[in-house]
Amino acid sequence: MSAFFSLSERWSPNHLLIRDKQLNTLLSNKVENPWNYWVTGERGAGKSLTSGIYATMNDGVYVIACSSRSFKDSVKNFALAHGEVPKTDDAPITIIMNVITKKKHSFVTIIFDDVDKLGQYFKRDFSPYIHDLYDRLLQTNFAFAIHVVTVFPYNKIESFLSPPAVSRLKFKPLNFPRYSKEEVKILIQQRLDIIKAQVSELDVEDGAIELLGDAISRIGGDLRKALEITRNAIVNNKITVEQVRSALQKEKSNWCKETILKLPYHAALIIGCIIEETLRINPNEVTNPPYLPIFWGAVKTKYINHCSQVLIKPQREKMLYYWLEQLWMRGWIDKFTLSKKHEWNYTHQRGIFVRLKEPLEYCQNAIKSISEETGWTPW
């Protein structure tokens, strides 16, 4: 095994730092009065890591990783990992029940991890199944809990689950807040200490981890990104400030570029218009979010003008708002309604405002790279 494996997302520490409160909440969920938890937080907040550690500490915990846009495929992969070969015509809930009833348990916990990867069909494909699973489990002779791990916020749960599912499962929120600058530094240092025990010549320049912690805390406290950047910053068993800075810029620009390229054309056009309007309102703050929010009406105007320039038919209002919701769910933006007199409202009319969460510097680099490679530009 590589000496640098502790910088992998798959590495699990012997002692979980920072998230002991959330882990203890799961551990205290007992047979007598079990709760179902909606485990929520931004990407890289330690939700999957904590759930995985919880699973290793308890018998009867089953983690179903929703790593595919197809819920059925995710369940089949789960069954195969547990030595169960599902029949072609088996329903997902039947497959799950076949796996968990192979052993005798007094208490079973089923964790659906990363359900947001199911994409736009989450409510259609997942919600009916979790409702059916709950009813099937009620017919067994053991206690159970069902947890959903997601970036979707608890206060929007009815947007993602059907009313029967919400009513039946009665989820409680288990929140994973963003990692702070100091917490990112502690977690990265924990993993580097493991490496140093095996690779004694690893040299970390003063200020390198400080820079990493500061940058990651400003873009959402995503530990997964921090780990990837740390891996890319190691050159000849050294981590310098300059190498961290270079890895940061490369990772963010690549992520922005890949994400925009995967978006449908009109969604990509909308994010391009959001970037352009954000640049107009925040001309001197290219590198440092959070930015002042921008008026959604101004974004739509730019979108319609661009459509007329390239001779394509603009989509309807309802579809534009759908793409806005998708960008919010994917972590690109925040959106909220501002009153006429709010200090951020430069239009003096009540309406929806949007705030770009990604640094403009990286967004500009991504658009420039896409334009050079494909000739596409949103403005």
Side-chain angles (χ1 to χ4, degrees), residues 204-230:
V204 181
E205 183 181 358
D206 290 343
I209 304 305
E210 180 81 15
L211 171 63
L212 179 62
D214 182 58
I216 294 299
S217 66
R218 285 191 285 110
I219 58 174
D222 189 336
L223 184 61
R224 293 180 184 180
K225 290 182 182 178
L227 293 173
E228 182 175 353
I229 292 165
T230 306

Side-chain angles (χ1 to χ4, degrees), residues 50 71 172 232 260:
T50 305
F71 180 65
K172 287 182 67 176
N232 292 336
I260 293 173

Side-chain angles (χ1 to χ4, degrees), residues 131-163:
H131 183 203
D132 291 345
L133 176 61
Y134 181 83
D135 288 342
R136 288 282 295 274
L137 288 168
L138 285 176
Q139 300 170 21
T140 64
N141 59 358
F142 50 77
F144 64 89
I146 299 173
H147 307 324
V148 173
V149 180
T150 177
V151 298
F152 300 147
Y154 177 75
N155 61 1
K156 299 284 187 179
I157 192 170
E158 293 183 357
S159 300
F160 308 114
L161 293 181
S162 64

Side-chain angles (χ1 to χ4, degrees), residues 113-136:
D113 191 18
D114 275 345
V115 294
D116 38 290
K117 289 184 178 178
L118 296 173
Q120 59 183 312
Y121 302 114
F122 174 86
K123 187 170 185 177
R124 186 195 73 183
D125 290 349
F126 179 70
S127 187
Y129 288 127
I130 196 171
H131 183 203
D132 291 345
L133 176 61
Y134 181 83
D135 288 342
R136 288 282 295 274

Side-chain angles (χ1 to χ4, degrees), residues 334-351:
D334 284 327
K335 61 182 180 67
F336 35 77
T337 300
L338 295 182
S339 66
K340 291 181 181 180
K341 297 182 179 180
H342 195 283
E343 61 176 328
W344 291 341
N345 191 337
Y346 56 91
T347 67
H348 304 298
Q349 55 181 310
R350 188 177 188 275

Side-chain angles (χ1 to χ4, degrees), residues 65 101 224 251:
T101 54
R224 293 180 184 180
E251 194 278 335

